[in-house]
């Protein structure tokens, strides 16, 4: 049965307005990044008169953006790899085996998502400082400390999500792998992991995006040498001036990895989120 024309036009109008609402800030960012500073600081013009790409070159000189980019890439990449690796083993154990405290473990993992992140800021700060004073291991102000911090947020959700996805994989595949001579790890890597690629990709994207754009912990747990992009963008605002055109240009540049990764993996992401939550 065909939908009425009034519904189709209402949907088109709504989607057009929604697209305009979403794309309008992007247009403002792009147009502002292509303007000289004096044009951005003055009255906003929807159609720029003088365009320049100079801000895209100046962003690398005003602040050490390349260093911040490398710090964010290392921290987000390491947090993603660790989160996915640990979550795969933990979710496989919970999904395929029965052990004492299994339900408590699952409920505990899920309940950690109820607490706001700022609640852990001061305890983690004190723990890192005390560990450094006692053992000499510098977690505060280091990339390793920031990676551990991001694991506390991405890992519980990753485990919980992969448990649901592994449960959707038929256990007959495990039995077939055992018949072929595979042990538990062989069945995991040769059968379960290939079948759960969409769920693993969804977990990886979530962990990477969580670490890439986080501001609160990165502003406290880092120093001048380990500062990430989310905090480093504040360097374009000085006591004398605010380089709005460079801020817009830098924001677009640092968003490219996330946008590109999402466009490349969106098919796996959507499949992993829906399958892990429903099946």
């Amino acid at each position: 049965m065909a939908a009425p024309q009034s519904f189709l036009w209402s949907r088109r109008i709504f989607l057009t307005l929604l697209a305009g609402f979403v794309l309008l800030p992007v247009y403002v960012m792009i147009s502002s990044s292509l303007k000289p500073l004096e044009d951005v600081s003055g009255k906003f013009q929807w159609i720029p008169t003088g365009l320049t790409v100079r801000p895209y070159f100046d962003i690398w000189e005003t602040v050490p953006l390349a260093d911040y980019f490398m710090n964010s890439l290392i921290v987000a990449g390491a947090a993603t790899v660790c989160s996915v690796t640990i979550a795969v083993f933990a979710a496989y154990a919970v999904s395929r085996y029965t052990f004492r405290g299994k339900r408590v473990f699952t409920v505990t993992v899920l309940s950690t998502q109820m607490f706001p992140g700022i609640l852990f800021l001061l305890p983690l700060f004190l723990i890192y400082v005390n560990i450094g004073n006692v053992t000499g291991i510098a977690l505060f102000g280091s990339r390793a400390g920031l990676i551990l911090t991001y694991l506390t947020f991405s890992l519980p959700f990753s485990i919980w999500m992969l448990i649901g996805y592994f449960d959707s994989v038929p256990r007959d595949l495990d039995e077939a792998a055992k018949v072929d001579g595979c042990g538990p790890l062989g069945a995991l890597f040769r059968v379960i992991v290939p079948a759960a690629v969409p769920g693993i990709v969804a977990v990886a994207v979530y962990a990477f995006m969580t670490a890439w754009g986080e501001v609160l912990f990165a502003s406290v747990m880092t120093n001048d040498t380990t500062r990430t992009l989310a905090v480093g963008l504040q360097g374009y605002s000085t006591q004398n001036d605010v380089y709005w055109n460079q801020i817009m240009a830098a924001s677009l540049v640092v968003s490219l990895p996330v946008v590109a990764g999402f466009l490349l993996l969106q098919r796996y992401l959507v499949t992993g989120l829906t399958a892990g939550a429903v099946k």
Side-chain angles (χ1 to χ4, degrees):
M1 182 177 180
Q5 289 294 325
S6 59
F7 172 78
L8 295 178
W9 278 105
S10 299
R11 186 176 63 177
R12 292 170 184 170
I13 294 174
F14 174 77
L15 292 178
T16 302
L17 294 176
L18 182 61
F21 179 78
V22 174
L23 295 178
L24 183 61
V26 178
Y27 171 77
V28 173
M29 291 179 62
I30 296 176
S31 62
S32 299
S33 67
L34 296 174
K35 295 179 181 178
L37 181 59
E38 54 272 15
D39 292 348
V40 182
S41 302
K43 184 179 179 181
F44 179 77
Q45 297 179 353
W46 289 100
I47 301 178
T49 54
L51 299 179
T52 177
V53 295
R54 186 64 188 176
Y56 286 92
F57 295 95
D58 293 338
I59 57 177
W60 307 98
E61 301 176 0
T62 304
V63 301
L65 188 65
D67 296 337
Y68 299 157
F69 195 95
M70 184 58 63
N71 289 334
S72 292
L73 190 61
I74 293 175
V75 170
T80 301
V81 172
C82 294
S83 180
V84 170
T85 302
I86 299 174
V88 165
F89 285 104
Y92 180 71
V94 174
S95 175
R96 291 298 192 264
Y97 296 97
T98 302
F99 53 89
R100 181 178 299 178
K102 174 180 177 179
R103 182 174 179 81
V104 175
F105 173 79
T106 306
V107 173
T108 302
V109 167
L110 185 59
S111 63
T112 57
Q113 303 300 303
M114 298 188 303
F115 301 99
I118 194 173
L119 187 66
F120 303 99
L121 180 60
L122 184 57
L124 284 175
F125 173 79
L126 295 177
I127 291 173
Y128 287 176
V129 171
N130 290 329
I131 290 177
N133 294 333
V134 174
T135 64
I137 300 176
L139 292 178
F140 176 74
S142 66
R143 295 170 180 168
L146 199 58
I147 292 171
L148 289 175
T149 301
Y150 291 153
L151 281 177
T152 61
F153 300 105
S154 61
L155 188 56
F157 178 82
S158 301
I159 294 174
W160 175 75
M161 182 175 175
L162 284 182
I163 289 174
Y165 202 92
F166 285 172
D167 286 341
S168 67
V169 178
R171 295 178 180 269
D172 295 340
L173 296 178
D174 300 48
E175 300 298 330
K178 293 178 180 179
V179 171
D180 291 339
C182 293
L185 293 180
L188 172 62
F189 290 110
R190 295 184 181 183
V191 177
I192 305 301
V193 170
V197 167
I200 295 175
V201 171
V203 166
V205 171
Y206 168 80
F208 186 86
M209 293 181 64
T210 300
W212 185 264
E214 202 279 329
V215 178
L216 177 62
F217 287 89
S219 61
V220 177
M221 299 293 186
T222 59
N223 51 31
D224 294 337
T225 59
T226 59
R227 191 165 295 163
T228 59
L229 284 171
V231 182
L233 292 179
Q234 299 177 2
Y236 294 105
S237 177
T238 64
Q239 295 181 351
N240 300 325
D241 209 343
V242 179
Y243 300 98
W244 291 109
N245 54 348
Q246 295 187 35
I247 292 177
M248 299 300 177
S251 300
L252 291 172
V253 170
V254 302
S255 300
L256 289 179
V258 177
V259 174
F262 179 80
L263 292 177
L264 292 174
L265 302 174
Q266 63 176 341
R267 178 168 61 92
Y268 296 101
L269 180 62
V270 174
T271 304
L273 288 174
T274 54
V278 176
K279 291 184 180 180

